[in-house]
Amino acid sequence: MSDLVIGVLALQGDVREHLAALAECDVIARPVRRPGEIDEIDALVIPGGESTTMSKLALTFEVFEPIHKRLAEGMPAYGSCAGMIMLADEVLDGRADQRSFGGIGMTVRRNAFGRQVDSFESPVDIDGVEGGPVNAVFIRAPWVESVSDQVEVLGRVASGPATGRMVAVRQGHLLATSFHPELTGDLRVHRLFVDMVREG
Amino acid sequence: MSESVNTPVTGTSRVKRGMAEMLKGGVIMDVVTPEQAKIAEDAGAVAVMALERVPADIRAQGGVSRMSDPDMIDGIINTVSIPVMAKARIGHFVEAQVLQALGVDYIDESEVLTPADYSNHIDKWAFTVPFVCGATNLGEALRRITEGAAMIRSKGEAGTGDVSNATTHMRKIRGEIKRLTSLPEDELYVAAKELQAPFDLVKEIAQTGKLPVVMFTAGGIATPADAAMMMQLGAEGVFVGSGIFKSGNPAQRAEAIVKAVTFYDDPDVIAKVSRGLGEAMVGINVEEIPQPHRLAERGW
């Protein structure tokens, strides 16, 4: 066990699954939801959940600014699904009062694949993840509509009606996926993030 | 659970159960109009539940209670961007087909509506849309999961503002799970028989110490403290029905309950959000409701 501490934003969503995945990657994983706790972590994971709820609670409980500040100072972060929305500089189809931490120069579209009946799983190849495609689970997921020059596109949907859509991206110390590796037991995306944190 | 696949597949167990995972730590609010849905979303609800009448009105007005009008459901879907759930009567698989066709994100096969079949629940495996079902005990929860439910909510006595039944059922389910984990393997066969649930599922619970799906709680929750208590008892999130829109100040109460669920283990936060909420819904003591009129006892 290293002494790297990775926080999981625990306002709402599948916090436990991310904590479990991180714990298996030999880091100290802990839920964070208070301003003071944001100062005590080396990196942050923003889980899946409802982005409008997360945004509102982050502002209400005054963790929005501390997180925003630390991300700007270079704290690494990974967001899955709602977490991807929280890391996007621009959000389409969101609520007018919804705010994101931002940091990744991308525009994401909320619920882009459709409603829950359109939620799906599909294999996706991710640059930097060895051993074949990951089984990507998309749940009322966003996709990345456009990216700036600084953003590296790591994965796209490989088949079906949404073929070619960008669903995994990285910009420097920030990583985001439309899908939920934390639901599959496959640790490779979390390991990719932990490696990013260690290298940073 | 489905294994990895080569082309996009919808409606898998992972996708259905995963949707419930994303709602954890959140509040799902009963709404009967698009205006109420907007208030719920503004307050930070993770989803809304569309129904014809809230349980308190079903109780007061009597009669047969059914799925909502499709126009109302469309109106709610078009008003909010958060997931929209809707209720179908127990066993009414055609109401469920209609709700799926309307594009609702989750169906609640609910004892709050009048049952359509007193023997069979809906075969939920036949649907792409996921289902949540109520349970008063572990055996009932496992039977619903066997029929394809992707989420469970412990039942309370809906429309009362009396949280005692919800407490009983949360404690009961938690206690029964704990008991299974302590049994030697050869006693699990009898346990499965007693629970009237499949052996493999009973064995899985004995090993993992938890349900294979997310469990929320519902029924009688009227205050932030009620919601926080359910979370401390092991609920992973909360449904609030009549408690919000039958209270004096729905918007403020809705927001307070959302905050109390996030900080359910922090009494300072719960105290703060409980201030100045105005009147809670007028309650009915469950004990004063004659047995045949108790909703939680519907379903088997």
Side-chain angles (χ1 to χ4, degrees), chain A residues 10-17 33-34 47-50 52-53 56-57 60-61 81 93-95 97-98 110-111 114-123 135 137-140 157 159-161 180 182-184, chain B residues 2 4-12 14-16 18-19 21-26 38 41-46 77 81-84 100 103-105 128-130 210 236 255 258-259 262-266 269:
Chain A
L11 296 169
Q12 189 275 318
D14 68 337
V15 177
R16 190 175 59 212
E17 285 65 28
R33 53 179 183 168
R34 292 184 177 84
E50 177 47 53
T52 57
T53 303
K56 186 177 174 68
L57 290 169
T60 304
F61 291 106
C81 196
D93 293 343
R95 279 172 57 91
D97 63 354
Q98 178 168 0
R110 222 172 130 236
N111 303 334
R115 303 195 67 84
Q116 172 61 13
V117 288
D118 305 306
S119 293
F120 65 101
E121 359 186 350
S122 183
N135 179 29
V137 182
F138 296 88
I139 298 175
R140 282 176 53 98
V157 176
S159 60
H180 297 280
E182 73 277 11
L183 293 181
T184 62
Chain B
S2 72
S4 74
V5 286
N6 295 316
T7 51
V9 190
T10 57
T12 62
R14 193 175 269 143
V15 159
K16 289 174 169 177
M19 172 76 206
E21 303 284 354
M22 301 311 143
L23 301 171
K24 281 189 301 195
K38 182 72 174 50
E41 188 185 57
D42 289 347
V46 289
I77 285 176
S81 65
I82 56 176
V84 176
Q100 175 167 289
V104 306
D105 297 298
T128 307
V129 67
K210 64 182 285 296
E236 295 178 286
E255 199 166 321
V258 168
K259 291 175 189 167
T262 295
F263 282 88
Y264 67 91
D265 54 356
D266 187 332
V269 173

Side-chain angles (χ1 to χ4, degrees), chain B residues 23-52:
Chain B
L23 301 171
K24 281 189 301 195
V27 182
I28 300 168
M29 302 181 191
D30 277 4
V31 298
V32 300
T33 63
E35 293 71 34
Q36 289 187 353
K38 182 72 174 50
I39 292 170
E41 188 185 57
D42 289 347
V46 289
V48 291
M49 173 74 71
L51 73 172
E52 189 186 29

Side-chain angles (χ1 to χ4, degrees), chain B residues 241-262:
Chain B
S242 321
I244 290 172
F245 289 102
K246 286 290 166 189
S247 75
N249 188 345
Q252 200 186 344
R253 183 167 294 266
E255 199 166 321
I257 292 175
V258 168
K259 291 175 189 167
V261 165
T262 295

Side-chain angles (χ1 to χ4, degrees), chain B residues 2-251:
Chain B
S2 72
E3 297 307 315
S4 74
V5 286
N6 295 316
T7 51
V9 190
T10 57
T12 62
S13 276
R14 193 175 269 143
V15 159
K16 289 174 169 177
R17 294 176 179 187
M19 172 76 206
E21 303 284 354
M22 301 311 143
L23 301 171
K24 281 189 301 195
V27 182
I28 300 168
M29 302 181 191
D30 277 4
V31 298
V32 300
T33 63
E35 293 71 34
Q36 289 187 353
K38 182 72 174 50
I39 292 170
E41 188 185 57
D42 289 347
V46 289
V48 291
M49 173 74 71
L51 73 172
E52 189 186 29
R53 293 177 283 170
V54 294
D57 288 335
I58 292 172
R59 206 173 271 297
Q61 296 159 3
V64 173
S65 195
R66 312 177 177 89
M67 172 186 86
S68 283
D69 182 329
D71 282 342
M72 184 57 75
I73 291 172
D74 275 348
I76 291 169
I77 285 176
N78 293 330
T79 301
V80 295
S81 65
I82 56 176
V84 176
M85 300 183 162
K87 286 186 194 284
R89 284 179 266 176
I90 289 175
H92 206 315
F93 52 87
V94 174
E95 282 190 350
Q97 290 165 5
V98 170
L99 292 174
Q100 175 167 289
L102 290 172
V104 306
D105 297 298
Y106 235 95
I107 295 176
D108 184 0
E109 186 182 17
S110 177
E111 70 285 357
V112 168
L113 306 186
T114 311
D117 186 331
Y118 282 91
S119 302
N120 304 288
H121 282 69
I122 297 169
D123 171 13
K124 293 165 274 288
W125 298 113
F127 290 80
T128 307
V129 67
F131 282 74
V132 54
C133 288
T136 57
N137 58 55
L138 181 60
E140 199 178 345
L142 298 185
R143 288 192 291 281
R144 295 297 86 79
I145 293 167
T146 306
E147 295 156 3
M151 179 179 186
I152 292 293
R153 54 175 171 75
S154 69
K155 292 181 193 170
E157 191 54 35
T160 60
D162 179 348
V163 82
S164 62
N165 267 25
T167 308
T168 305
H169 300 145
M170 276 307 302
R171 284 194 186 278
K172 171 109 179 157
I173 293 169
R174 190 176 67 164
E176 286 174 322
I177 291 173
K178 197 159 266 179
R179 175 172 175 268
L180 280 188
T181 63
S182 68
L183 290 181
E185 199 171 326
D186 63 349
E187 291 181 23
L188 291 175
Y189 297 98
V190 173
K193 190 189 81 174
E194 287 167 356
L195 288 166
Q196 299 178 52
F199 174 73
D200 289 343
L201 198 46
V202 169
K203 190 175 166 188
E204 184 188 331
I205 311 270
Q207 283 166 351
T208 62
K210 64 182 285 296
L211 290 179
V213 302
V214 166
M215 183 168 70
F216 272 42
T217 193
I221 292 156
T223 69
D226 289 348
M229 179 163 89
M230 291 302 124
M231 296 296 287
Q232 288 196 25
L233 285 171
E236 295 178 286
V238 172
F239 286 87
V240 186
S242 321
I244 290 172
F245 289 102
K246 286 290 166 189
S247 75
N249 188 345

Side-chain angles (χ1 to χ4, degrees), chain A residues 8-99:
Chain A
V8 178
L9 185 61
L11 296 169
Q12 189 275 318
D14 68 337
V15 177
R16 190 175 59 212
E17 285 65 28
H18 277 291
L19 289 171
L22 290 168
E24 284 196 59
C25 294
D26 296 325
V27 298
I28 300 165
R30 68 167 69 133
V32 292
R33 53 179 183 168
R34 292 184 177 84
E37 292 164 351
I38 307 300
D39 298 330
E40 296 162 3
I41 54 176
D42 299 304
L44 179 69
V45 168
I46 309 169
E50 177 47 53
S51 63
T52 57
T53 303
M54 245 181 248
S55 160
K56 186 177 174 68
L57 290 169
L59 289 163
T60 304
F61 291 106
E62 295 168 356
V63 291
F64 189 94
E65 285 308 328
I67 290 174
H68 185 254
K69 181 163 165 278
R70 286 218 56 200
L71 293 177
E73 289 166 358
M75 175 174 70
Y78 164 50
S80 69
C81 196
M84 170 187 258
I85 294 171
M86 294 302 290
L87 289 175
D89 279 351
E90 195 185 347
V91 178
L92 302 176
D93 293 343
R95 279 172 57 91
D97 63 354
Q98 178 168 0
R99 285 185 67 195

